[in-house]
Amino acid sequence: MKEIVSINLDNEMDLILAHRRSMKIAEMCGMPSSFQTRFATAVSEVARCSIAIGENSVLTLGINVIKTTHKEIVAIVRDSNDLKKCNPEAFKYAAKLSGNIEYSYENNSSITQFSQKVLSPGLLSEAKIKSLADYFKYESPLSPYDEIRKKNIELIALSEKLGETENRYRQLANTIPILICIINERNHVLLTNEFFQGFLKFPFIVFERKDLSTFIHPDDLESIIDNWNKVKKNRGEYYGETRIKKGDAYRWHLISIIPNKAEDSSFTNWLVYFVDIHAQKTVEETLKNNSELKLIQRELENANSKLMFKNKELQQFAYIASHDLQEPLRKIRIMLSRAGEGLSEEQKNKYYFDKINSAAGRMSDLISDVLNYSRVDNNVHTLLPVDLNEILLETINDLSLIIDEKNAIININPLPVVAGLSTQLRQLFFNLVNNALKFNSSEPVVTISADDESKALLDKYKPQGNYHLIIISDNGIGMDSKYSGRIFDMFQRLHDRDQYGGNGIGLALCKRIIENHNGVLNFTSEPGKGTTFYIYLPK
């Protein structure tokens, strides 16, 4: 239904309005005089009943557009009481006059609806229906009472709108994350929003040093007090920055003190706002230090370039030195061999041929190890898929003589395919398996497996991330935990040379190979019970 006009049914004057406007709407819809009278009288009967015994009664007149060829004049009386039960005779008479009346009562609300079919619905266009509403909206008062009543209705509507607006502004001021207060010339805080109250957790009564010091940073207090005194004197504005205590820390806020003036520009009081700008200040400080950071970054880049250059020089030196030192050693060993061709074993021992030859051999091995270490650099390489099963098979073949010599048992479980450099990984496995065979006083038993979770739990330094785990364990001589921080150092030996050979470079080389593959190398060991190495390579 499209509402045309509404009337509160309070007294007899409202009954006259109900009758006249029911007649008028019927007339404007082209109804015959007899229809107008019958419709208006039927509506008046129920309206009279509502005024007499009803409560919160309202009459609404409108047009119901069912379809283009069927339109109705509708009158609805709403009331809090059961009108029909209170006065059934009035409803009986109204039904006799109108013929089209419906009544319902539920949930303490009664609805009486009259409907009258419009005889010429085609003439009742949308524009016509709108003109009906405009007519009743702007019609002249029917009486002084009607005029006063209209003014009262307008005032009530205006008051409700003002109340809604005031509630919206109050809700906005209370919920917006800004600390807001109003203060007068005598420094009294007249009002604070709920956000300010919740922020401070205590009443903010006076805009003076004592109360301000409870939440303003001590270094900012004097500035705020001085500027507040200036603002009071010239009734101007002040904008600044201050730190406000929140919990155990201070946060930067923008403070604004603005005169609060009425519509006629007369002064009343001041509005004070504190807006959180801590994130902005942090960004500003970061940008301020950015130039220093860039300078440090350039210095680091220069130092890194110099370090890379020196590292390259050292690698070249190690290679050249190793290569050049091997040549005189080879000549010494050849000359020793030729010099001893005509000598007996007794003469050879007399001139320390065996010791000289052994020392030259150790020197040659040392130079080879240094050369191998220098070749394992940290430069970027293209890592390719490497089948560790093939690498291990080649390693076992290379060590077959010492395996047979020591009657060693090698237990091998399937290993994964990893991303790596096959040459370096072959060197890694050779050194670790060779150590397991060499540092063993009984028949060696070496076990090589992958992703063994039960053994991985024994590694308390297991890294976080997605890694392949390869475990190499033996039953060798082991080592004391006090040496755990030294075994990966260059030239580090934990045993006498006459007990076990080597130059102390093998494990340092293994560590460097693993670092080149962005992996981790850990171990556990116990004297007399063997050693277990944990190799972590990224998946």
Side-chain angles (χ1 to χ4, degrees):
M1 182 189 77
K2 297 184 178 181
E3 183 178 326
I4 303 299
V5 67
S6 181
I7 306 167
N8 292 327
L9 301 174
D10 297 323
N11 51 49
E12 291 298 325
M13 293 300 299
D14 295 326
L15 181 61
I16 296 171
L17 287 174
H19 186 272
R20 289 189 179 183
R21 286 175 176 164
S22 298
M23 286 280 290
K24 189 64 180 179
I25 195 171
E27 175 190 341
M28 296 176 75
C29 289
M31 306 296 290
S33 299
S34 58
F35 277 84
Q36 298 173 25
T37 305
R38 293 169 67 87
F39 177 73
T41 304
V43 172
S44 297
E45 282 297 315
V46 175
R48 188 193 309 277
C49 179
S50 184
I51 290 170
I53 59 176
E55 186 178 357
N56 302 321
S57 303
V58 178
L59 167 64
T60 304
L61 299 170
I63 304 296
N64 190 17
V65 180
I66 299 172
K67 56 184 178 178
T68 307
T69 58
H70 188 176
K71 297 173 183 175
E72 297 176 338
I73 304 171
V74 178
I76 300 175
V77 178
R78 291 182 173 86
D79 201 288
S80 299
N81 293 333
D82 189 351
L83 298 180
K84 189 173 183 179
K85 182 179 180 181
C86 296
N87 195 343
E89 292 298 324
F91 275 82
K92 186 175 180 181
Y93 181 59
K96 182 177 179 181
L97 290 172
S98 175
N100 298 314
I101 181 171
E102 297 177 4
Y103 180 81
S104 65
Y105 178 76
E106 57 183 13
N107 298 327
N108 297 322
S109 177
S110 66
I111 299 176
T112 308
Q113 179 171 312
F114 300 89
S115 60
Q116 193 69 50
K117 185 177 180 181
V118 177
L119 299 179
S120 302
L123 299 177
L124 202 60
S125 62
E126 291 291 331
K128 177 68 174 177
I129 294 173
K130 185 177 182 303
S131 69
L132 294 179
D134 290 341
Y135 172 82
F136 288 108
K137 184 177 180 180
Y138 300 110
E139 70 172 333
S140 302
L142 302 177
S143 64
Y145 166 78
D146 187 32
E147 184 174 5
I148 293 172
R149 186 173 175 278
K150 278 187 174 182
K151 294 294 183 183
N152 285 337
I153 292 172
E154 290 174 359
L155 286 173
I156 291 170
L158 180 60
S159 175
E160 289 176 351
K161 287 182 179 179
L162 287 173
E164 291 175 2
T165 302
E166 183 180 349
N167 287 334
R168 283 198 297 269
Y169 277 109
R170 183 181 293 110
Q171 185 178 11
L172 178 63
N174 285 332
T175 58
I176 193 170
I178 297 176
L179 310 178
I180 304 173
C181 65
I182 299 176
I183 53 180
N184 63 17
E185 290 182 302
R186 294 186 299 278
N187 302 340
H188 292 158
V189 179
L190 305 178
L191 179 69
T192 56
N193 67 334
E194 290 181 2
F195 189 77
F196 207 151
Q197 296 168 14
F199 187 90
L200 293 183
K201 307 295 185 185
F202 57 84
F204 183 31
I205 300 173
V206 185
F207 197 81
E208 291 180 347
R209 187 185 306 277
K210 182 179 178 181
D211 281 17
L212 289 173
S213 63
T214 57
F215 64 95
I216 297 293
H217 195 285
D219 296 343
D220 304 335
L221 194 58
E222 288 299 327
S223 176
I224 291 178
I225 296 296
D226 290 345
N227 283 286
W228 165 234
N229 291 330
K230 291 177 183 177
V231 163
K232 283 198 298 182
K233 186 177 180 179
N234 56 30
R235 294 195 175 181
E237 300 177 356
Y238 167 67
Y239 300 96
E241 295 178 357
T242 186
R243 285 160 288 183
I244 292 181
K245 191 173 184 179
K246 185 175 183 181
D248 295 330
Y250 284 91
R251 295 184 63 84
W252 280 101
H253 283 69
L254 175 69
I255 175 174
S256 305
I257 304 177
I258 306 170
N260 190 19
K261 297 181 180 179
E263 291 183 1
D264 59 357
S265 298
S266 60
F267 170 82
T268 56
N269 42 52
W270 276 274
L271 294 174
V272 182
Y273 303 90
F274 294 93
V275 181
D276 192 321
I277 57 168
H278 193 76
Q280 178 183 338
K281 289 288 290 185
T282 304
V283 171
E284 288 177 359
E285 290 297 323
T286 303
L287 293 175
K288 181 180 177 181
N289 296 329
N290 193 41
S291 57
E292 297 177 11
L293 290 173
K294 286 182 178 179
L295 180 61
I296 294 171
Q297 184 179 4
R298 282 196 296 270
E299 291 176 354
L300 287 173
E301 288 174 353
N302 292 335
N304 188 49
S305 298
K306 291 178 181 178
L307 185 62
M308 290 176 66
F309 180 74
K310 291 295 182 183
N311 190 45
K312 190 173 182 180
E313 284 185 334
L314 286 171
Q315 290 176 1
Q316 290 174 347
F317 171 77
Y319 178 79
I320 293 169
S322 300
H323 183 271
D324 291 348
L325 286 172
Q326 287 282 20
E327 187 60 30
L329 274 176
R330 279 195 295 271
K331 289 180 179 178
I332 290 171
R333 298 181 75 177
I334 291 171
M335 291 169 68
L336 279 171
S337 177
R338 290 178 180 176
E341 288 179 356
L343 298 177
S344 65
E345 289 298 324
E346 183 179 352
Q347 289 174 318
K348 288 181 181 180
N349 291 333
K350 181 180 178 180
Y351 295 108
Y352 305 106
F353 268 68
D354 290 341
K355 290 185 177 181
I356 295 171
N357 194 49
S358 176
R362 288 198 303 272
M363 185 65 180
S364 179
D365 292 341
L366 177 60
I367 292 169
S368 296
D369 287 345
V370 171
L371 182 60
N372 288 333
Y373 188 84
S374 69
R375 285 171 175 170
V376 180
D377 56 35
N378 293 317
N379 293 334
V380 177
H381 296 280
T382 302
L383 301 181
L384 301 174
V386 178
D387 188 343
L388 294 183
N389 296 289
E390 295 178 2
I391 296 294
L392 185 57
L393 183 60
E394 294 172 3
T395 302
I396 299 302
N397 288 334
D398 292 341
L399 294 169
S400 58
L401 290 178
I402 190 173
I403 291 172
D404 293 339
E405 181 185 328
K406 289 202 167 190
N407 294 320
I409 299 173
I410 310 295
N411 298 315
I412 302 174
N413 294 315
L415 301 181
V417 175
V418 301
L421 302 170
S422 58
T423 304
Q424 292 187 15
L425 291 174
R426 189 179 295 109
Q427 203 166 18
L428 169 74
F429 275 89
F430 182 90
N431 285 352
L432 292 178
V433 175
N434 186 43
N435 282 355
L437 298 171
K438 180 167 58 175
F439 297 106
N440 202 308
S441 59
S442 60
E443 292 185 353
V445 177
V446 183
T447 302
I448 304 162
S449 60
D451 297 323
D452 189 336
E453 291 297 328
S454 61
K455 285 192 175 182
L457 294 174
L458 300 174
D459 181 13
K460 60 182 179 179
Y461 299 111
K462 178 181 178 182
Q464 298 295 321
N466 198 12
Y467 291 92
H468 290 293
L469 170 60
I470 296 91
I471 300 172
I472 301 177
S473 58
D474 63 54
N475 63 337
I477 60 173
M479 69 190 84
D480 197 293
S481 60
K482 67 181 180 180
Y483 300 119
S484 61
R486 297 166 51 192
I487 69 164
F488 294 118
D489 294 341
M490 283 280 287
F491 307 113
Q492 184 63 55
R493 294 179 51 83
L494 304 182
H495 309 282
D496 294 335
R497 193 179 300 278
D498 56 355
Q499 287 183 291
Y500 301 99
N503 298 306
I505 295 179
L507 288 180
L509 183 61
C510 292
K511 181 77 169 178
R512 193 167 186 183
I513 290 171
I514 289 297
E515 289 173 350
N516 278 358
H517 287 75
N518 299 314
V520 177
L521 179 62
N522 296 335
F523 79 96
T524 57
S525 186
E526 190 175 344
K529 294 186 179 181
T531 302
T532 300
F533 283 94
Y534 304 92
I535 304 168
Y536 297 93
L537 294 171
K539 289 189 178 179

